[in-house]
C-alpha cells in the first residue's frame, strides 16, 4: 500500500520553527494552505478548520477517508468555548489539563468550524496543545485549526519532521521543524457529550489522571450499532501500520524478524534479530511512548520480514502504547 515520497519535481519547503517560520506558517494557513506543525504529541498536518476547500485538500494530501472527523486546535479555553459548548465534565477536564495532550468531544458551535472538518457531526473534538510553536501559530492564525497527524492515512504518526517529509513531501506547502515530539503518541480523546465521559482513544494523558480529576471512572466505549458509522471513525482497526507484520507479546525472536524491546528484555533469538530497538532500557513508559513511532519506522525500514514486540506494562502511557501496537498488528 506504500506510495511514500515526493511527487516528481515539487519538494515541500522545510523551515526552522523560529519567528520567520511561525509567521510563514500562519500566513499559509490563513490562505488555505497545508502546513505540518510540531505539537507535543505528534506532528500535525494543519489547515484552516473554517475553510472547506482547505479541509478537502488536507483529506486528499493524507489519502484519508473523508468520513473521518478532525480535531479543532485552539490556543486556550476561551477560544475553545467559541468552537464547542463545554459541558460540566468538559469544563472540569479543560481547566485541569489544558493546555495538554487531551482532546475533548463536545457539542459543536456549528458556525465555528466547517461541517467537512467535523465530517458532518453535531459534535466537535477540541484540543489545546502545549507546544510553544503550535501555540504561537494558533494565536497568529486566529481561528480553529484542523490538524490530524501529518502522515499518509494508515501509516504510523510522525514524531520528527523527517517522518513528515517521508510521507507527505510534495503534497503539502510547508513543514516546520522543531525537533522530536516530547510525548510521542497522540492525545487522549474523551467524549463529554453524554452523561458519563467516555475515553474514545487512549493517548498522551493517562486514564488514571483523568479519572482522578473527575473523581469517577470513565465510561466504557461500547461498540456502535452501525459498523460503518463508528463513534470515533479514526478507530479503524488497522490504523497505525508499518508495512511488515507486527507480532505482539513475542516470547522469542524468529529468523528474519526485527525486535522491539522494552526495559532491556532479551528474549531467545534476540541475537539473530535483523535490527533491535529498546523503547526504554530503564523501563520508563513515558520514554517508550516518545520513541514508539520512530522505532517502528526504523524497524520497518530494516529489511526484516516482521517486527516482534515484547510484552509491555499497561499502566500510565502503557495503555496508549498497547492500543497503537494492537492497531499496528491488526490484519490488513
Ligand atoms: O495528538 C493529537 O491528537 C494529534 C495532534 C496533531 O494534535 N492529532 C490527531 O488527530 O491525532 P487525528 O485526526 O489523527 O485523530 C483524530 C481523532 C480521530 O480518531 C477522529 O475520529 C476523532 O479524533 N474525532 C474527531 N472528531 C470527533 C467527534 N466529533 N466525535 C468523535 N471522535 C472524533
Ligand atoms: Mg492519525
Amino acid at each position: 500500500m506504500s506510495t511514500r515520497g515526493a511527487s516528481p519535481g515539487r519538494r515541500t519547503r522545510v523551515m526552522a520553527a523560529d519567528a520567520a517560520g511561525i509567521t510563514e506558517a500562519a500566513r499559509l494557513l490563513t490562505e488555505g494552505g497545508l502546513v505540518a506543525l510540531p505539537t507535543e504529541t505528534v506532528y500535525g498536518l494543519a489547515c484552516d478548520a473554517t475553510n472547506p476547500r482547505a479541509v478537502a485538500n488536507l483529506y486528499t494530501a493524507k489519502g484519508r477517508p473523508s468520513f473521518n472527523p478532525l480535531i479543532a486546535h485552539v490556543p486556550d479555553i476561551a477560544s475553545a468555548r467559541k468552537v464547542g459548548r463545554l459541558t460540566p465534565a468538559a469544563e472540569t477536564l479543560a481547566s485541569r489539563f489544558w493546555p495538554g495532550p487531551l482532546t475533548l468531544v463536545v457539542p459543536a458551535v456549528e458556525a465555528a468550524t466547517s461541517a467537512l472538518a467535523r465530517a458532518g457531526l453535531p459534535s466537535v473534538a477540541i484540543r489545546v496543545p502545549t507546544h510553544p510553536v503550535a501555540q504561537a501559530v494558533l494565536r497568529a492564525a486566529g481561528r480553529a485549526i484542523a490538524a490530524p497527524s501529518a502522515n499518509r492515512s494508515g501509516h504510523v504518526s510522525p514524531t520528527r519532521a523527517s517522518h513528515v517529509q517521508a510521507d507527505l513531501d510534495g503534497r503539502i506547502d510547508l513543514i516546520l521543524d522543531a525537533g522530536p515530539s516530547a510525548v510521542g503518541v497522540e492525545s487522549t480523546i474523551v467524549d463529554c457529550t453524554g452523561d458519563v465521559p467516555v475515553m474514545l482513544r487512549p493517548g498522551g494523558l493517562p486514564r488514571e489522571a483523568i479519572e482522578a480529576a473527575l473523581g469517577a471512572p470513565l465510561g466504557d466505549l461500547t461498540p456502535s450499532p452501525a459498523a460503518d458509522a463508528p463513534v470515533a471513525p479514526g478507530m479503524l482497526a488497522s490504523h497505525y501500520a508499518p508495512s511488515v507484520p507486527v507480532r505482539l507479546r513475542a516470547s522469542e525472536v524468529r529468523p528474519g524478524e526485527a525486535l522491539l524491546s522494552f526495559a532491556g528484555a532479551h528474549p531467545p533469538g534476540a541475537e539473530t534479530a535483523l535490527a533491535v530497538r529498546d523503547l526504554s532500557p530503564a523501563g520508563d513508559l513515558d520514554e517508550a511512548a516518545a520513541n514508539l513511532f520512530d522505532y517502528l519506522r526504523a524497524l520497518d525500514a530494516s529489511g526484516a520480514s516482521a517486527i516482534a514486540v515484547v510484552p509491555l506494562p499497561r499502566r500510565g502511557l502503557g495503555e496508549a502504547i498497547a492500543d497503537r501496537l494492537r492497531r499496528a498488528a491488526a490484519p490488513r
Side-chain angles (χ1 to χ4, degrees), residues 42-43 62 64 68 147-158 186 201 234 239-240:
V42 300
Y43 276 73
K62 274 187 67 89
R64 157 174 279 204
N68 207 344
S149 50
N151 52 283
R152 293 288 283 271
S153 187
H155 293 182
V156 299
S157 293
E186 299 87 341
R201 175 177 78 182
H239 194 85
Y240 297 88

Side-chain angles (χ1 to χ4, degrees), residues 121-147:
L121 294 174
S123 58
V124 61
I126 311 178
R127 164 156 144 70
V128 178
T130 53
H131 197 292
V133 173
Q135 278 280 335
V137 173
L138 292 174
R139 287 186 193 284
R143 64 197 71 191
I145 295 295

Side-chain angles (χ1 to χ4, degrees), residues 194-218:
D195 293 337
V196 178
V198 172
M199 187 185 282
L200 301 181
R201 175 177 78 182
L205 183 66
R207 171 190 297 274
E208 295 91 323
I210 298 169
E211 295 184 336
L214 291 171
L218 286 158

Side-chain angles (χ1 to χ4, degrees), residues 150-223:
N151 52 283
R152 293 288 283 271
S153 187
H155 293 182
V156 299
S157 293
T159 55
R160 295 170 183 270
S162 60
H163 300 164
V164 180
Q165 233 175 345
D167 269 20
L168 297 175
D169 194 17
R171 304 174 69 91
I172 64 177
D173 297 300
L174 176 67
I175 300 171
L176 275 193
D177 185 352
S181 310
V183 176
V185 291
E186 299 87 341
S187 60
T188 302
I189 304 179
V190 176
D191 182 349
C192 294
T193 58
D195 293 337
V196 178
V198 172
M199 187 185 282
L200 301 181
R201 175 177 78 182
L205 183 66
R207 171 190 297 274
E208 295 91 323
I210 298 169
E211 295 184 336
L214 291 171
L218 286 158
D220 284 324
L221 178 59
T222 45

